[in-house]
Amino acid sequence: MTEPRGKRQNIMTENSISLSTHNGIVIPDNWAGYNLDVFSLPSHYCEDLECVFIPHGVIEDRTERIANEIMKDLGDNHITVLCVLKGGYRFCTDLVEHIKNLSRNSERFISMRVDFIRLRSYCNDTCMDEMQIIGGDDLSKLSGKNVLIVEDIISTGRTMSALLSHLGKYNPKMVKVASLLVKRSDSNNGFKPDYIGFEIPNKFVVGYALDYNEHFRDLHHICVINENGKLKYKV
């Protein structure tokens, strides 16, 4: 296994990365990530990144495990998957594909349809006070339905709490939330999704469809943006 950056963490061990049923894979504050030069990355981004924080293969394996948990909990139901764009599309696509594969080979079956919603809650690297819902289909179609919201990252929890409150007006039968990442932050309101990929420190991460002002979505891995990148792509 390739050694991560920094001297504080030499390898991923049980003492450094832990698995919690409720928090997913918990990455500690002192996790230094991996050197950029041992991964394939777009050359135009290399000066703008601090490290590879979560490699793509680890994301894929964790996503498959979440699909297994969803199958156990929601099998034999029809669910509407509500993908939060734009950052959630990679995670949602992979998660839905894993659920489909599991469903084909299981006695329990999940019938799914996918809808999309777009939220805006960040300007540069700062979370805004109010959530903006941009576009999306008529949410009244969710009345009486089982809904699985698929999100890329939850930081303060305010955006997701506001979305759940908004969806509640349409009286869905059940709502579950799956988030690839949950960020530890002093400003977090305590909201926890039902399914979590990784709990991460309070770092601004990009890649795997997560962006910084529409840049970095094409990165295969989840990386930490550096100050040079923030300044270069600031709006």
Side-chain angles (χ1 to χ4, degrees):
M1 180 174 288
T2 305
E3 292 187 359
R5 300 173 69 256
K7 297 181 180 179
R8 290 174 298 180
Q9 294 287 344
N10 292 324
I11 57 173
M12 276 192 178
T13 67
E14 293 180 358
N15 293 325
S16 61
I17 305 294
S18 61
L19 176 63
S20 165
T21 302
H22 300 292
N23 296 333
I25 295 177
V26 180
I27 300 178
D29 291 341
N30 61 353
W31 176 245
Y34 293 92
N35 287 319
L36 299 175
D37 57 7
V38 298
F39 290 92
S40 178
L41 298 165
S43 59
H44 57 282
Y45 284 148
C46 287
E47 294 181 354
D48 307 319
L49 301 172
E50 181 179 316
C51 66
V52 172
F53 206 60
I54 309 175
H56 180 259
V58 178
I59 299 169
E60 278 291 305
D61 285 355
R62 179 63 188 145
T63 301
E64 184 175 6
R65 178 56 185 265
I66 294 173
N68 271 279
E69 294 171 3
I70 291 172
M71 277 292 298
K72 291 177 182 177
D73 293 344
L74 305 180
D76 298 328
N77 279 291
H78 175 83
I79 61 175
T80 297
V81 177
L82 189 62
C83 175
V84 180
L85 296 174
K86 298 180 183 176
Y89 80 86
R90 283 286 302 274
F91 177 48
C92 184
T93 299
D94 290 343
L95 182 64
V96 167
E97 190 62 30
H98 281 305
I99 293 173
K100 286 181 179 178
N101 290 335
L102 290 168
S103 190
R104 292 189 192 104
N105 299 288
S106 173
E107 294 181 358
R108 307 187 75 193
F109 181 77
I110 291 183
S111 173
M112 291 181 293
R113 65 183 296 267
V114 181
D115 280 341
F116 302 91
I117 190 171
R118 186 177 175 189
L119 310 177
R120 187 168 185 265
S121 58
Y122 269 90
C123 180
N124 296 320
D125 60 347
T126 303
C127 188
M128 300 186 300
D129 291 334
E130 294 185 2
M131 174 195 70
Q132 299 176 5
I133 299 178
I134 305 170
D137 292 334
D138 182 4
L139 296 180
S140 64
K141 296 178 181 178
L142 300 179
S143 177
K145 303 291 179 60
N146 298 312
V147 180
L148 175 66
I149 300 173
V150 179
E151 173 70 289
D152 56 350
I153 185 168
I154 291 175
S155 298
T156 65
R158 293 196 297 269
T159 299
M160 185 55 63
S161 295
L163 176 59
L164 291 172
S165 177
H166 185 74
L167 291 181
K169 300 175 183 177
Y170 302 98
N171 299 313
K173 180 180 179 182
M174 176 190 69
V175 178
K176 298 284 188 180
V177 179
S179 182
L180 176 63
L181 304 174
V182 171
K183 186 181 293 187
R184 290 191 299 276
S185 171
D186 291 338
S187 58
N188 191 290
N189 67 359
F191 174 80
K192 288 286 187 181
D194 302 279
Y195 307 100
I196 302 173
F198 304 86
E199 181 186 290
I200 66 171
N202 190 17
K203 297 179 180 289
F204 198 93
V205 292
V206 294
Y208 194 69
L210 283 82
D211 77 306
Y212 177 79
N213 294 329
E214 296 301 324
H215 296 277
F216 302 100
R217 293 195 193 276
D218 51 331
L219 282 170
H220 211 39
H221 314 286
I222 291 177
C223 301
V224 177
I225 187 174
N226 62 24
E227 293 304 316
N228 181 71
K230 290 179 183 179
L231 181 62
K232 180 188 293 187
Y233 299 110
K234 185 176 181 180
V235 295

